[in-house]
Coordinates of all heavy atoms in Angstrom, one line a residue:
M121 N -0.3 -6.3 -48.8 CA 0.8 -6.9 -49.4 C 0.5 -8.3 -49.9 O -0.5 -8.9 -49.5 CB 1.9 -7.1 -48.5 CG 2.8 -5.9 -48.4 SD 4.4 -6.3 -47.6 CE 5.0 -4.6 -47.3
S122 N 1.1 -8.7 -50.9 CA 1.0 -10.2 -51.4 C 2.0 -11.1 -51.1 O 3.2 -10.7 -50.7 CB 0.7 -10.0 -52.9 OG 2.1 -9.6 -53.5
A123 N 1.6 -12.4 -51.0 CA 2.6 -13.4 -50.7 C 3.6 -13.7 -51.9 O 3.3 -13.5 -53.0 CB 1.9 -14.7 -50.4
H124 N 4.8 -14.0 -51.5 CA 5.9 -14.3 -52.5 C 6.3 -15.8 -52.3 O 6.2 -16.3 -51.2 CB 7.1 -13.4 -52.2 CG 6.7 -12.0 -52.4 ND1 6.4 -11.4 -53.7 CD2 6.7 -10.9 -51.6 CE1 6.1 -10.1 -53.6 NE2 6.2 -9.8 -52.3
K125 N 6.9 -16.3 -53.3 CA 7.6 -17.6 -53.2 C 9.0 -17.5 -52.8 O 9.7 -16.5 -53.3 CB 7.4 -18.3 -54.5 CG 6.0 -18.6 -54.9 CD 5.9 -19.6 -56.1 CE 4.5 -20.0 -56.5 NZ 3.9 -20.8 -55.5
Y126 N 9.5 -18.3 -51.9 CA 10.8 -18.3 -51.4 C 11.4 -19.7 -51.5 O 10.7 -20.7 -51.4 CB 10.9 -17.8 -50.0 CG 10.5 -16.4 -49.7 CD1 9.1 -16.1 -49.4 CD2 11.3 -15.4 -49.9 CE1 8.7 -14.8 -49.3 CE2 10.9 -14.0 -49.7 CZ 9.7 -13.8 -49.4 OH 9.2 -12.6 -49.2
E127 N 12.7 -19.8 -51.5 CA 13.5 -21.0 -51.4 C 14.5 -20.7 -50.3 O 15.3 -19.7 -50.4 CB 14.2 -21.5 -52.7 CG 15.0 -22.7 -52.5 CD 15.6 -23.2 -53.7 OE1 16.6 -22.6 -54.1 OE2 15.1 -24.1 -54.4
M128 N 14.7 -21.6 -49.3 CA 15.6 -21.5 -48.2 C 16.4 -22.7 -48.1 O 15.8 -23.8 -48.2 CB 14.8 -21.2 -46.9 CG 15.7 -20.9 -45.7 SD 16.1 -22.2 -44.7 CE 14.6 -22.9 -44.2
M129 N 17.7 -22.6 -47.9 CA 18.5 -23.7 -47.7 C 19.3 -23.4 -46.3 O 19.6 -22.3 -46.1 CB 19.7 -23.8 -48.8 CG 20.7 -25.0 -48.4 SD 22.0 -25.1 -49.6 CE 21.2 -26.1 -50.7
M130 N 19.2 -24.5 -45.5 CA 20.0 -24.3 -44.2 C 20.9 -25.5 -44.1 O 20.8 -26.5 -44.6 CB 19.0 -24.3 -43.0 CG 18.4 -25.5 -42.7 SD 17.4 -25.5 -41.1 CE 16.0 -24.8 -41.6
I131 N 22.1 -25.2 -43.5 CA 23.1 -26.2 -43.2 C 23.1 -26.3 -41.6 O 23.4 -25.3 -41.0 CB 24.4 -25.8 -43.8 CG1 24.4 -25.6 -45.2 CG2 25.5 -26.9 -43.4 CD1 25.7 -25.1 -45.9
V132 N 22.8 -27.5 -41.2 CA 22.7 -27.7 -39.7 C 24.0 -28.5 -39.2 O 24.6 -29.3 -40.0 CB 21.5 -28.6 -39.4 CG1 21.3 -28.8 -37.9 CG2 20.2 -27.9 -39.9
D133 N 24.4 -28.1 -38.0 CA 25.5 -28.8 -37.4 C 25.5 -30.3 -37.6 O 24.5 -30.9 -37.2 CB 25.6 -28.4 -35.9 CG 26.9 -28.9 -35.3 OD1 27.4 -29.9 -35.5 OD2 27.3 -28.1 -34.4
P134 N 26.5 -31.0 -38.1 CA 26.5 -32.4 -38.3 C 26.4 -33.3 -37.1 O 26.1 -34.5 -37.1 CB 27.8 -32.6 -39.1 CG 28.7 -31.7 -38.6 CD 27.9 -30.4 -38.4
Q135 N 26.7 -32.7 -35.9 CA 26.7 -33.5 -34.7 C 25.2 -33.7 -34.2 O 24.9 -34.4 -33.3 CB 27.4 -32.8 -33.6 CG 28.9 -32.7 -33.9 CD 29.7 -31.9 -32.8 OE1 29.1 -31.1 -32.1 NE2 31.0 -32.0 -32.8
I136 N 24.2 -33.1 -34.8 CA 22.8 -33.2 -34.5 C 22.3 -34.2 -35.2 O 22.4 -34.4 -36.4 CB 22.1 -31.8 -34.7 CG1 22.7 -30.7 -33.8 CG2 20.6 -32.0 -34.5 CD1 22.1 -29.4 -34.0
E137 N 21.6 -35.3 -34.4 CA 20.9 -36.4 -35.1 C 19.9 -36.0 -36.1 O 19.3 -35.0 -36.0 CB 20.2 -37.2 -33.9 CG 21.2 -37.7 -32.9 CD 21.9 -38.9 -33.2 OE1 21.3 -39.7 -33.9 OE2 23.0 -39.1 -32.7
D138 N 19.8 -36.9 -37.1 CA 18.8 -36.6 -38.2 C 17.3 -36.4 -37.6 O 16.7 -35.5 -38.1 CB 18.7 -37.8 -39.2 CG 20.0 -37.7 -40.1 OD1 20.8 -36.8 -40.0 OD2 20.2 -38.7 -40.8
A139 N 16.9 -37.1 -36.6 CA 15.6 -37.0 -36.1 C 15.5 -35.7 -35.4 O 14.4 -35.0 -35.5 CB 15.3 -38.1 -35.0
S140 N 16.5 -35.2 -34.8 CA 16.5 -33.8 -34.1 C 16.5 -32.7 -35.2 O 15.8 -31.7 -35.0 CB 17.7 -33.6 -33.2 OG 17.6 -34.6 -32.2
V141 N 17.1 -32.9 -36.3 CA 17.1 -32.0 -37.4 C 15.7 -31.8 -38.0 O 15.2 -30.7 -38.2 CB 18.1 -32.3 -38.5 CG1 17.9 -31.5 -39.8 CG2 19.6 -32.3 -38.1
K142 N 15.0 -32.9 -38.1 CA 13.7 -32.9 -38.6 C 12.7 -32.2 -37.6 O 11.8 -31.4 -38.1 CB 13.2 -34.3 -38.9 CG 13.9 -34.9 -40.2 CD 13.5 -36.3 -40.5 CE 14.3 -36.7 -41.7 NZ 14.0 -38.0 -42.2
K143 N 12.9 -32.4 -36.4 CA 12.1 -31.7 -35.4 C 12.3 -30.1 -35.5 O 11.5 -29.3 -35.4 CB 12.5 -32.2 -33.9 CG 11.7 -33.4 -33.6 CD 12.1 -33.7 -32.1 CE 11.6 -35.1 -31.8 NZ 12.1 -35.5 -30.4
L144 N 13.7 -29.8 -35.6 CA 14.1 -28.4 -35.7 C 13.4 -27.7 -37.0 O 12.9 -26.7 -36.9 CB 15.6 -28.4 -35.8 CG 16.3 -27.1 -35.9 CD1 16.2 -26.4 -34.5 CD2 17.8 -27.2 -36.2
V145 N 13.5 -28.6 -38.1 CA 12.9 -28.0 -39.3 C 11.4 -27.8 -39.1 O 10.8 -26.7 -39.6 CB 13.2 -28.9 -40.5 CG1 12.4 -28.6 -41.8 CG2 14.7 -28.9 -40.9
N146 N 10.7 -28.7 -38.5 CA 9.3 -28.6 -38.3 C 9.0 -27.4 -37.4 O 7.9 -26.7 -37.7 CB 8.7 -29.8 -37.6 CG 8.6 -31.0 -38.7 OD1 8.5 -30.7 -39.9 ND2 8.7 -32.2 -38.2
K147 N 9.9 -27.0 -36.6 CA 9.6 -25.8 -35.7 C 9.7 -24.5 -36.7 O 8.9 -23.6 -36.4 CB 10.7 -25.7 -34.7 CG 10.7 -24.4 -33.8 CD 11.7 -24.5 -32.7 CE 12.7 -23.4 -33.1 NZ 13.8 -23.2 -32.2
Y148 N 10.5 -24.5 -37.6 CA 10.6 -23.4 -38.5 C 9.5 -23.4 -39.6 O 9.1 -22.4 -40.0 CB 12.0 -23.3 -39.2 CG 13.1 -23.1 -38.2 CD1 14.1 -23.9 -38.0 CD2 13.1 -21.8 -37.5 CE1 15.1 -23.7 -37.0 CE2 14.0 -21.6 -36.5 CZ 15.0 -22.5 -36.3 OH 16.0 -22.2 -35.3
F149 N 9.0 -24.7 -39.9 CA 7.8 -24.6 -40.7 C 6.6 -23.9 -40.1 O 5.8 -23.3 -40.7 CB 7.3 -26.2 -41.0 CG 8.2 -26.9 -41.9 CD1 7.8 -28.2 -42.1 CD2 9.2 -26.4 -42.7 CE1 8.6 -29.0 -43.1 CE2 9.9 -27.1 -43.6 CZ 9.6 -28.4 -43.7
E150 N 6.5 -24.1 -38.7 CA 5.4 -23.3 -38.0 C 5.6 -21.9 -38.1 O 4.5 -21.2 -38.0 CB 5.5 -23.9 -36.6 CG 5.0 -25.3 -36.3 CD 5.1 -25.7 -34.9 OE1 5.4 -24.9 -34.0 OE2 4.9 -27.0 -34.6
V151 N 6.7 -21.3 -38.2 CA 6.8 -19.8 -38.3 C 6.1 -19.4 -39.6 O 5.3 -18.4 -39.6 CB 8.3 -19.4 -38.5 CG1 8.5 -17.9 -38.7 CG2 9.1 -19.8 -37.1
I152 N 6.2 -20.2 -40.7 CA 5.6 -19.8 -41.9 C 4.0 -20.1 -41.9 O 3.2 -19.3 -42.2 CB 6.2 -20.6 -43.1 CG1 7.7 -20.3 -43.2 CG2 5.5 -20.3 -44.4 CD1 8.0 -18.8 -43.4
T153 N 3.7 -21.3 -41.4 CA 2.3 -21.8 -41.4 C 1.5 -20.9 -40.4 O 0.3 -20.5 -40.6 CB 2.1 -23.2 -41.1 OG1 2.7 -23.6 -39.8 CG2 2.6 -24.1 -42.3
N154 N 2.1 -20.5 -39.3 CA 1.4 -19.6 -38.3 C 1.0 -18.2 -38.8 O 0.1 -17.5 -38.4 CB 2.2 -19.5 -37.0 CG 2.1 -20.8 -36.2 OD1 1.3 -21.7 -36.4 ND2 3.1 -20.9 -35.3
A155 N 1.9 -17.8 -39.8 CA 1.7 -16.5 -40.5 C 0.8 -16.7 -41.8 O 0.9 -15.9 -42.7 CB 3.0 -15.8 -40.8
K156 N 0.1 -17.8 -41.9 CA -0.9 -18.1 -43.0 C -0.1 -18.3 -44.3 O -0.6 -18.1 -45.4 CB -1.9 -17.0 -43.1 CG -2.8 -16.9 -41.9 CD -3.9 -15.9 -42.1 CE -4.8 -15.7 -41.0 NZ -4.4 -15.5 -39.7
G157 N 1.2 -18.8 -44.2 CA 1.9 -19.2 -45.4 C 1.8 -20.6 -45.6 O 1.2 -21.3 -44.8
T158 N 2.4 -21.0 -46.7 CA 2.4 -22.5 -47.0 C 3.7 -23.1 -47.2 O 4.6 -22.4 -47.7 CB 1.5 -22.8 -48.3 OG1 2.0 -22.0 -49.4 CG2 0.1 -22.4 -48.0
I159 N 4.0 -24.3 -46.9 CA 5.2 -25.0 -47.2 C 5.0 -25.8 -48.5 O 4.1 -26.7 -48.5 CB 5.6 -25.9 -46.1 CG1 5.7 -25.3 -44.7 CG2 6.9 -26.7 -46.4 CD1 6.7 -24.1 -44.6
D160 N 5.6 -25.3 -49.6 CA 5.3 -26.0 -50.9 C 6.1 -27.3 -51.0 O 5.5 -28.1 -51.7 CB 5.6 -25.0 -52.0 CG 4.9 -23.6 -51.8 OD1 3.7 -23.7 -51.4 OD2 5.4 -22.6 -52.1
K161 N 7.2 -27.3 -50.6 CA 8.1 -28.4 -50.7 C 9.3 -28.4 -49.7 O 9.8 -27.3 -49.4 CB 8.7 -28.5 -52.1 CG 9.5 -29.7 -52.4 CD 10.1 -29.7 -53.9 CE 11.1 -30.7 -54.1 NZ 11.7 -30.5 -55.4
S162 N 9.7 -29.5 -49.1 CA 10.8 -29.6 -48.3 C 11.6 -30.7 -48.7 O 11.0 -31.9 -49.1 CB 10.4 -29.7 -46.8 OG 9.8 -30.9 -46.5
D163 N 12.9 -30.7 -48.6 CA 13.8 -31.7 -49.1 C 15.0 -31.8 -48.1 O 15.7 -30.9 -47.8 CB 14.4 -31.3 -50.5 CG 14.7 -32.4 -51.4 OD1 14.5 -33.6 -50.9 OD2 15.2 -32.3 -52.5
F164 N 15.1 -33.0 -47.5 CA 16.1 -33.3 -46.5 C 17.3 -33.9 -47.3 O 17.1 -35.1 -47.8 CB 15.5 -34.3 -45.5 CG 16.5 -34.6 -44.4 CD1 16.8 -33.7 -43.4 CD2 17.2 -35.7 -44.4 CE1 17.7 -33.9 -42.4 CE2 18.1 -36.0 -43.4 CZ 18.2 -35.2 -42.3
W165 N 18.4 -33.3 -47.6 CA 19.4 -33.8 -48.4 C 20.4 -34.7 -47.5 O 21.2 -35.4 -48.1 CB 20.2 -32.7 -49.0 CG 19.6 -31.9 -50.1 CD1 18.3 -32.1 -50.5 CD2 20.2 -30.9 -50.9 NE1 18.0 -31.1 -51.5 CE2 19.2 -30.5 -51.8 CE3 21.4 -30.3 -50.9 CZ2 19.4 -29.4 -52.7 CZ3 21.7 -29.3 -51.8 CH2 20.7 -28.9 -52.7
G166 N 20.3 -34.5 -46.2 CA 21.2 -35.3 -45.3 C 22.6 -34.7 -45.2 O 22.8 -33.5 -45.6
R167 N 23.5 -35.5 -44.7 CA 24.8 -35.0 -44.4 C 25.7 -35.0 -45.6 O 25.8 -35.9 -46.5 CB 25.5 -35.9 -43.4 CG 26.8 -35.4 -42.8 CD 27.2 -36.1 -41.6 NE 26.1 -35.9 -40.6 CZ 26.1 -36.5 -39.4 NH1 26.9 -37.4 -39.1 NH2 25.2 -36.1 -38.6
R168 N 26.4 -33.8 -45.8 CA 27.3 -33.7 -47.0 C 28.5 -32.9 -46.6 O 28.5 -32.2 -45.6 CB 26.6 -32.9 -48.2 CG 25.3 -33.6 -48.5 CD 25.0 -33.1 -49.8 NE 23.8 -33.9 -50.3 CZ 23.3 -33.9 -51.6 NH1 23.8 -33.0 -52.4 NH2 22.3 -34.6 -51.9
K169 N 29.5 -33.1 -47.4 CA 30.9 -32.4 -47.1 C 30.7 -30.9 -47.6 O 30.0 -30.6 -48.5 CB 31.9 -33.1 -47.9 CG 33.3 -32.5 -47.7 CD 34.4 -33.5 -48.3 CE 35.7 -32.9 -48.1 NZ 36.0 -32.6 -46.7
L170 N 31.2 -30.0 -46.7 CA 31.1 -28.6 -47.1 C 32.2 -28.2 -48.0 O 33.2 -28.8 -48.0 CB 31.3 -27.8 -45.7 CG 30.2 -28.0 -44.7 CD1 30.6 -27.3 -43.4 CD2 28.8 -27.6 -45.1
A171 N 31.9 -27.2 -48.8 CA 33.0 -26.7 -49.8 C 34.2 -26.2 -49.0 O 35.3 -26.2 -49.5 CB 32.4 -25.7 -50.7
Y172 N 33.9 -25.6 -47.8 CA 35.0 -25.0 -47.0 C 34.5 -25.2 -45.5 O 33.4 -25.2 -45.2 CB 35.3 -23.6 -47.4 CG 34.1 -22.6 -47.3 CD1 33.7 -22.1 -46.1 CD2 33.3 -22.5 -48.4 CE1 32.6 -21.3 -46.1 CE2 32.2 -21.7 -48.4 CZ 31.8 -21.1 -47.2 OH 30.7 -20.3 -47.2
P173 N 35.5 -25.2 -44.5 CA 35.1 -25.4 -43.2 C 34.2 -24.1 -42.6 O 34.5 -23.0 -43.0 CB 36.4 -25.5 -42.4 CG 37.4 -25.8 -43.4 CD 36.9 -25.2 -44.8
I174 N 33.3 -24.5 -41.9 CA 32.4 -23.5 -41.2 C 32.6 -23.8 -39.8 O 32.1 -24.9 -39.3 CB 31.0 -23.5 -41.7 CG1 30.8 -23.3 -43.2 CG2 30.1 -22.5 -40.8 CD1 29.5 -23.3 -43.8
D175 N 33.0 -22.9 -38.9 CA 33.2 -23.1 -37.5 C 33.9 -24.4 -37.2 O 33.5 -25.2 -36.3 CB 31.8 -23.1 -36.8 CG 31.1 -21.8 -36.8 OD1 31.8 -20.8 -36.9 OD2 29.9 -21.8 -36.7
H176 N 35.0 -24.7 -38.0 CA 35.9 -25.8 -37.8 C 35.2 -27.2 -38.2 O 35.6 -28.2 -37.8 CB 36.5 -25.9 -36.4 CG 37.2 -24.7 -36.0 ND1 38.4 -24.2 -36.6 CD2 36.9 -23.7 -35.1 CE1 38.8 -23.1 -36.1 NE2 37.8 -22.7 -35.2
K177 N 34.0 -27.1 -38.9 CA 33.3 -28.3 -39.3 C 33.5 -28.5 -40.8 O 33.4 -27.5 -41.5 CB 31.9 -28.2 -38.9 CG 31.7 -28.2 -37.4 CD 30.2 -27.9 -37.0 CE 30.0 -28.0 -35.5 NZ 30.9 -27.1 -34.6
T178 N 33.6 -29.7 -41.2 CA 33.8 -30.0 -42.6 C 32.6 -30.6 -43.3 O 32.6 -30.9 -44.4 CB 35.1 -30.9 -42.9 OG1 34.9 -32.1 -42.1 CG2 36.3 -30.2 -42.5
E179 N 31.6 -31.0 -42.5 CA 30.4 -31.6 -43.0 C 29.2 -30.7 -42.4 O 29.3 -30.1 -41.3 CB 30.2 -33.0 -42.6 CG 31.1 -33.9 -43.2 CD 30.8 -35.4 -42.9 OE1 30.3 -35.7 -41.8 OE2 31.0 -36.3 -43.6
G180 N 28.0 -30.9 -43.0 CA 26.8 -30.4 -42.4 C 25.6 -31.1 -43.0 O 25.7 -31.8 -44.0
T181 N 24.5 -30.9 -42.3 CA 23.2 -31.6 -42.8 C 22.4 -30.6 -43.5 O 22.1 -29.4 -43.0 CB 22.4 -32.1 -41.6 OG1 23.3 -33.0 -40.8 CG2 21.2 -32.8 -42.1
Y182 N 22.1 -30.8 -44.8 CA 21.4 -29.9 -45.7 C 20.0 -30.1 -45.6 O 19.5 -31.2 -45.8 CB 22.0 -29.9 -47.1 CG 23.4 -29.3 -47.3 CD1 24.5 -29.9 -46.8 CD2 23.5 -28.2 -48.1 CE1 25.8 -29.4 -47.0 CE2 24.7 -27.7 -48.3 CZ 25.9 -28.2 -47.8 OH 27.1 -27.7 -48.0
V183 N 19.2 -28.9 -45.6 CA 17.7 -29.0 -45.8 C 17.4 -27.9 -46.7 O 17.8 -26.7 -46.6 CB 17.0 -28.9 -44.4 CG1 15.5 -28.9 -44.5 CG2 17.5 -29.9 -43.4
V184 N 16.5 -28.1 -47.7 CA 16.0 -27.1 -48.6 C 14.4 -27.2 -48.5 O 13.8 -28.1 -48.4 CB 16.4 -27.5 -50.0 CG1 15.8 -26.4 -51.0 CG2 17.8 -27.6 -50.2
M185 N 13.9 -25.9 -48.4 CA 12.4 -25.7 -48.2 C 12.0 -24.6 -49.2 O 12.6 -23.6 -49.3 CB 12.3 -25.2 -46.8 CG 10.8 -24.9 -46.5 SD 10.7 -24.6 -44.6 CE 11.0 -22.9 -44.5
N186 N 10.9 -24.9 -49.9 CA 10.3 -23.9 -50.7 C 8.9 -23.5 -50.0 O 8.2 -24.4 -49.6 CB 9.9 -24.5 -52.1 CG 11.2 -24.7 -52.9 OD1 12.0 -23.9 -52.9 ND2 11.1 -25.9 -53.6
Y187 N 8.7 -22.3 -49.9 CA 7.5 -21.8 -49.2 C 6.9 -20.5 -49.8 O 7.6 -19.8 -50.5 CB 7.7 -21.7 -47.7 CG 8.8 -20.7 -47.4 CD1 8.5 -19.4 -47.0 CD2 10.2 -21.1 -47.3 CE1 9.5 -18.4 -46.7 CE2 11.2 -20.1 -47.0 CZ 10.8 -18.9 -46.7 OH 11.8 -17.9 -46.4
T188 N 5.7 -20.2 -49.5 CA 5.0 -19.1 -49.9 C 4.5 -18.3 -48.7 O 3.8 -18.9 -47.9 CB 3.8 -19.4 -50.9 OG1 4.3 -20.2 -51.9 CG2 3.2 -18.1 -51.4
C189 N 4.8 -17.1 -48.6 CA 4.3 -16.3 -47.5 C 4.5 -14.8 -47.7 O 5.1 -14.4 -48.7 CB 5.0 -16.7 -46.2 SG 6.9 -16.3 -46.1
E190 N 4.0 -14.0 -46.7 CA 4.3 -12.5 -46.8 C 5.7 -12.4 -46.5 O 6.4 -13.0 -45.8 CB 3.4 -11.9 -45.7 CG 2.0 -12.0 -45.9 CD 1.3 -11.3 -47.1 OE1 1.9 -10.2 -47.4 OE2 0.4 -11.8 -47.7
P191 N 6.3 -11.2 -47.0 CA 7.7 -10.9 -46.7 C 8.1 -10.8 -45.2 O 9.2 -11.2 -44.8 CB 7.9 -9.5 -47.4 CG 6.9 -9.5 -48.4 CD 5.7 -10.2 -47.9
E192 N 7.2 -10.3 -44.4 CA 7.4 -10.2 -42.9 C 7.6 -11.6 -42.3 O 8.5 -11.7 -41.5 CB 6.2 -9.5 -42.2 CG 6.0 -8.1 -42.6 CD 5.2 -7.9 -43.9 OE1 4.6 -8.9 -44.3 OE2 5.3 -6.8 -44.5
A193 N 6.9 -12.6 -42.8 CA 7.0 -13.9 -42.2 C 8.3 -14.5 -42.6 O 9.0 -15.1 -41.8 CB 5.9 -14.8 -42.6
S194 N 8.7 -14.2 -43.8 CA 10.1 -14.7 -44.3 C 11.2 -14.1 -43.5 O 12.2 -14.7 -43.2 CB 10.3 -14.5 -45.8 OG 11.4 -15.2 -46.2
A195 N 11.1 -12.8 -43.2 CA 12.1 -12.1 -42.5 C 12.2 -12.6 -41.0 O 13.3 -12.7 -40.5 CB 11.7 -10.6 -42.5
E196 N 11.0 -12.9 -40.5 CA 11.0 -13.5 -39.1 C 11.6 -14.9 -39.2 O 12.4 -15.3 -38.2 CB 9.5 -13.6 -38.6 CG 9.4 -14.2 -37.2 CD 10.2 -13.6 -36.1 OE1 10.5 -12.4 -36.2 OE2 10.4 -14.3 -35.0
L197 N 11.3 -15.7 -40.1 CA 12.0 -17.0 -40.2 C 13.5 -16.8 -40.3 O 14.3 -17.5 -39.5 CB 11.5 -17.7 -41.5 CG 12.2 -19.1 -41.8 CD1 12.0 -20.1 -40.7 CD2 11.8 -19.5 -43.2
D198 N 14.0 -15.9 -41.1 CA 15.4 -15.6 -41.3 C 16.0 -15.2 -40.0 O 17.1 -15.7 -39.5 CB 15.7 -14.7 -42.4 CG 17.1 -14.7 -42.9 OD1 17.7 -15.7 -42.9 OD2 17.5 -13.5 -43.3
R199 N 15.3 -14.4 -39.3 CA 15.8 -13.9 -37.9 C 16.0 -15.0 -36.9 O 16.9 -15.2 -36.3 CB 14.8 -12.8 -37.3 CG 15.3 -12.2 -36.1 CD 14.2 -11.3 -35.4 NE 13.2 -12.1 -34.8 CZ 13.3 -12.7 -33.7 NH1 14.4 -12.5 -32.9 NH2 12.3 -13.4 -33.1
Q200 N 15.0 -15.9 -36.9 CA 15.0 -17.0 -35.9 C 16.1 -18.0 -36.3 O 16.8 -18.6 -35.4 CB 13.6 -17.8 -35.8 CG 12.6 -16.9 -35.2 CD 11.3 -17.7 -34.9 OE1 11.3 -18.9 -34.8 NE2 10.2 -16.9 -34.7
L201 N 16.3 -18.3 -37.6 CA 17.3 -19.2 -38.1 C 18.8 -18.6 -37.6 O 19.6 -19.4 -37.2 CB 17.3 -19.3 -39.5 CG 16.2 -20.1 -40.1 CD1 16.1 -20.0 -41.6 CD2 16.4 -21.6 -39.7
K202 N 18.9 -17.3 -37.7 CA 20.2 -16.7 -37.3 C 20.5 -16.8 -35.8 O 21.7 -16.8 -35.4 CB 20.3 -15.2 -37.8 CG 20.4 -15.2 -39.2 CD 20.4 -13.8 -39.7 CE 20.6 -13.8 -41.3 NZ 20.3 -12.5 -41.8
L203 N 19.4 -16.9 -35.0 CA 19.5 -17.0 -33.5 C 20.0 -18.5 -33.0 O 20.4 -18.6 -31.9 CB 18.3 -16.6 -32.8 CG 17.9 -15.1 -33.0 CD1 16.4 -14.9 -32.3 CD2 18.9 -14.2 -32.3
N204 N 19.8 -19.5 -33.8 CA 20.1 -20.8 -33.5 C 21.6 -21.2 -33.8 O 21.9 -21.2 -34.9 CB 19.2 -21.8 -34.2 CG 19.2 -23.2 -33.6 OD1 20.2 -23.6 -33.1 ND2 18.0 -23.8 -33.7
D205 N 22.3 -21.5 -32.7 CA 23.7 -21.9 -33.0 C 23.9 -23.2 -33.7 O 25.0 -23.5 -34.2 CB 24.5 -22.0 -31.7 CG 24.7 -20.6 -31.0 OD1 24.6 -19.6 -31.6 OD2 24.7 -20.6 -29.7
A206 N 22.9 -24.0 -33.7 CA 23.0 -25.3 -34.4 C 22.9 -25.2 -35.9 O 23.3 -26.1 -36.7 CB 21.9 -26.2 -34.0
I207 N 22.6 -24.0 -36.4 CA 22.4 -23.8 -37.8 C 23.7 -23.0 -38.3 O 24.0 -21.9 -37.8 CB 21.1 -23.0 -38.2 CG1 20.0 -23.9 -37.8 CG2 21.1 -22.6 -39.7 CD1 18.7 -23.4 -37.9
L208 N 24.4 -23.7 -39.1 CA 25.7 -23.2 -39.6 C 25.6 -22.1 -40.6 O 26.2 -21.0 -40.5 CB 26.6 -24.2 -40.0 CG 27.0 -25.4 -39.2 CD1 27.8 -26.5 -39.9 CD2 27.6 -25.0 -37.9
R209 N 24.7 -22.2 -41.6 CA 24.4 -21.3 -42.5 C 23.1 -21.4 -43.1 O 22.4 -22.4 -43.1 CB 25.3 -21.5 -43.9 CG 26.8 -21.2 -43.7 CD 27.0 -19.7 -43.8 NE 28.3 -19.3 -43.9 CZ 29.1 -19.2 -42.9 NH1 28.8 -19.4 -41.7 NH2 30.4 -18.8 -43.1
T210 N 22.6 -20.2 -43.6 CA 21.2 -20.2 -44.2 C 21.3 -19.3 -45.5 O 22.1 -18.4 -45.5 CB 20.0 -19.7 -43.3 OG1 20.4 -18.3 -42.9 CG2 19.9 -20.5 -42.0
K211 N 20.5 -19.5 -46.4 CA 20.3 -18.7 -47.6 C 18.9 -18.6 -48.0 O 18.2 -19.7 -48.1 CB 21.2 -19.2 -48.7 CG 21.1 -18.4 -49.9 CD 21.9 -17.0 -49.7 CE 22.1 -16.3 -51.0 NZ 22.7 -15.1 -50.8
V212 N 18.2 -17.5 -48.0 CA 16.8 -17.4 -48.4 C 16.8 -16.6 -49.7 O 17.4 -15.5 -49.8 CB 16.0 -16.6 -47.4 CG1 14.6 -16.5 -47.9 CG2 16.0 -17.4 -46.0
L213 N 16.1 -17.1 -50.7 CA 16.0 -16.5 -52.0 C 14.5 -16.3 -52.3 O 13.8 -17.2 -52.1 CB 16.6 -17.3 -53.1 CG 18.2 -17.7 -53.0 CD1 18.4 -18.7 -54.0 CD2 18.9 -16.4 -53.2
R214 N 14.2 -15.1 -52.8 CA 12.8 -15.0 -53.4 C 12.7 -15.5 -54.8 O 13.5 -15.1 -55.7 CB 12.5 -13.4 -53.3 CG 10.9 -13.2 -53.4 CD 10.6 -11.9 -53.1 NE 9.8 -11.4 -54.1 CZ 9.4 -10.1 -54.4 NH1 9.9 -9.2 -53.6 NH2 8.7 -9.8 -55.4
K215 N 11.9 -16.4 -55.1 CA 11.8 -17.2 -56.3 C 11.0 -16.4 -57.4 O 11.2 -16.7 -58.6 CB 11.3 -18.5 -56.1 CG 12.0 -19.4 -55.1 CD 13.2 -19.9 -55.8 CE 12.9 -21.0 -56.7 NZ 14.0 -21.6 -57.3
D216 N 10.1 -15.5 -57.0 CA 9.2 -15.0 -58.0 C 9.6 -13.6 -58.6 O 8.9 -12.9 -59.2 CB 7.7 -14.9 -57.6 CG 7.6 -14.1 -56.2 OD1 8.7 -13.6 -55.7 OD2 6.5 -14.0 -55.8
V217 N 10.9 -13.3 -58.3 CA 11.5 -12.0 -58.9 C 11.9 -12.2 -60.3 O 12.6 -13.3 -60.6 CB 12.7 -11.6 -58.0 CG1 13.4 -10.4 -58.6 CG2 12.3 -11.4 -56.6
K218 N 11.5 -11.4 -61.2 CA 11.9 -11.5 -62.6 C 13.1 -10.7 -63.0 O 13.4 -9.8 -62.5 CB 10.7 -11.2 -63.5 CG 9.5 -12.0 -63.2 CD 8.8 -12.4 -64.4 CE 7.6 -13.2 -64.2 NZ 7.3 -14.3 -63.5

């Protein structure tokens, strides 16, 4: 199989400190890099108001990451993100689909 480009956005619980969010994000970077993928770009947007409440929260810390990897590594990343209660929402998009 060949590697694909992905974009992932996560919204983290606003009660978690920014330094802890960055540690958390680095843990997820390792899922991709350990599978021989690359992190092309990461963007820490910080705390923002949500469009609608999620789990009774009106704010969240946004992080966007662009990466390249095999589909299995991206699926594993998505699985691990869903297991973490500190992550309110995630969205993974494959960027190289025409």
Side-chain angles (χ1 to χ4, degrees):
M121 278 197 191
S122 64
H124 297 292
K125 293 190 176 293
Y126 296 91
E127 179 177 77
M128 187 268 304
M129 175 184 275
M130 73 170 83
I131 305 173
V132 182
D133 189 322
Q135 295 175 343
I136 296 176
E137 301 278 329
D138 287 352
S140 297
V141 170
K142 290 180 181 180
K143 282 183 188 174
L144 184 70
V145 169
N146 285 333
K147 181 179 107 174
Y148 293 118
F149 284 174
E150 289 177 7
V151 173
I152 300 302
T153 57
N154 289 343
K156 298 184 176 61
T158 60
I159 306 300
D160 304 324
K161 181 181 171 190
S162 67
D163 210 359
F164 183 78
W165 289 5
R167 190 167 295 171
R168 299 198 175 192
K169 187 164 178 51
L170 301 174
Y172 55 89
I174 301 173
D175 295 335
H176 306 290
K177 293 173 177 53
T178 57
E179 289 186 332
T181 303
Y182 284 71
V183 178
V184 178
M185 174 171 89
N186 293 318
Y187 59 95
T188 304
C189 68
E190 298 290 326
E192 295 81 16
S194 187
E196 176 60 18
L197 173 65
D198 198 34
R199 185 190 74 79
Q200 288 189 24
L201 288 166
K202 288 178 181 171
L203 293 174
N204 191 332
D205 290 338
I207 298 176
L208 302 177
R209 283 285 190 280
T210 62
K211 181 71 173 181
V212 177
L213 299 173
R214 194 167 131 197
K215 300 286 285 182
D216 56 3
V217 177
K218 301 225 184 305

